[in-house]
Amino acid sequence: MFVIYSEEITPRLAYTAHLIFAQILQQDLEFTTSLADFKKAKGPKLNYSFTRYGDEFYIKPHRILFCRSLIHLNYQSVWYEGEKYFFESSADSALPFDPLAAAFYLVSRYEEYLEEERGRHNRYPAKNSILAKYDLLKKPVVNIWARLLASKLKDKYPEMTFPEPKFSFLSTIDVDNAWAIKNKGFLRSSAAFAKTLLKRDWQDAKMRCNVLLSNGTDSFDTYDYLDSIFQGNEDKVYYFFLLGDYARYDKSIPHRNKNFTKLIKQTAEKYTVGMHPSFASSMKKGKKKLYKEKKRMEEIVGATIEKSRQHFLRLQLPKTYRRLQKIGVTEDFTMGYASSTGFRAGICTPYYFYDLKKEQTTNLRITPFQVMDVTLRDYLGLTPEEAWKEIEQLMQEVRKVGGTFVGVWHNETVNDLGHWKGYRQVFEKMNKTGFEWANE
């Protein structure tokens, strides 16, 4: 049993200690506010208080874990063994920074509650993150800090044992638009064809005719190809389907289309499926839309839907997560940036959402992702070779700490056509490597 002493065991402290020591380092925890009991404890223990009493493992805490409100914090950066950290601690602490405070700040997304600036589609800008400013966005620092604590504790208490890092991999596909041309309905198909004729794009017009007459392949119809890549690893693949009504940013196939419902059903027979809440559902009056989209998905697959990822990665805290919890979603996969690769919450381990406004741990599990196809090509402008190098580097970071690597791709981006030429090979390398490492 690993004993943690503090003058007060706040919800923030309990949440963070469980994340670091119980979830990541897999230790049995016991908390105490009794100094006498702490001093009598014989095994491994941590003094997380403002006074050091002996030769116990000691970290002087930053006050963030003892606050009960959202305030702008003063965090000092500090260098330790060639790496930069923040939330400086004391000279007599085991570490010159407080890893619990720093971890809580990141995983709770504290900074996003206070940031007034919003980027495109009302999303929190990656460039404003403390990790971006400290050049740490490409590092799973929370996991790294946990391993650092394990090393220090092992030195102090040799009897402690910690599990070896175990890499996990999850390949996810967002289906925003199941087909490029097929199954759009007469009006949408006619409008698209007329637009092509007005542009005098005869090649596109011919291609559309061939697809509609079943003489050609729809460029978004990559499902057989995806099956071939995922064969034997179906348990490590999730699909998220958009079932919102047609709108400016939601251009999915009508949810009643028989071919679309057939596709979803067939996919659900092989893989885990989740909902992909529409852009419109994340707007002010989107609560009913969100509920309606979940019901549509459940009626199609004949099962309860518990997993979700926001379309356009529109995430507003705590509103988005509270809405998802109210409709029965228990796991969300939105935690990542559109404009940058890396670790938005500084962590590569699934964890539970802490509601800073209510000051409580929730049952909503957050699974962060590290890389998205659109980020690599459209936001960063990487060539396929550069994209693979970026992915491989991030995968190595996750592998070193035993986290879960999650990639986000779309059915249309693996077609090896147009500006996505060459990215199919990137997708294949990511999956081949991820499956091999996860199956070791």
Side-chain angles (χ1 to χ4, degrees), residues 134-152:
Y134 282 19
D135 196 25
L136 292 171
L137 193 55
K138 306 298 176 70
K139 298 278 187 179
V141 290
V142 173
N143 298 80
I144 292 171
W145 298 336
R147 295 293 165 187
L148 178 59
L149 278 168
S151 175
K152 293 292 182 181

Side-chain angles (χ1 to χ4, degrees), residues 78-98:
V78 55
W79 287 91
Y80 176 65
E81 296 184 345
E83 299 290 341
K84 185 182 285 188
Y85 303 91
F86 48 93
F87 286 117
E88 187 176 12
S89 190
S90 61
D92 60 345
S93 291
L95 293 167
F97 77 107
D98 181 351

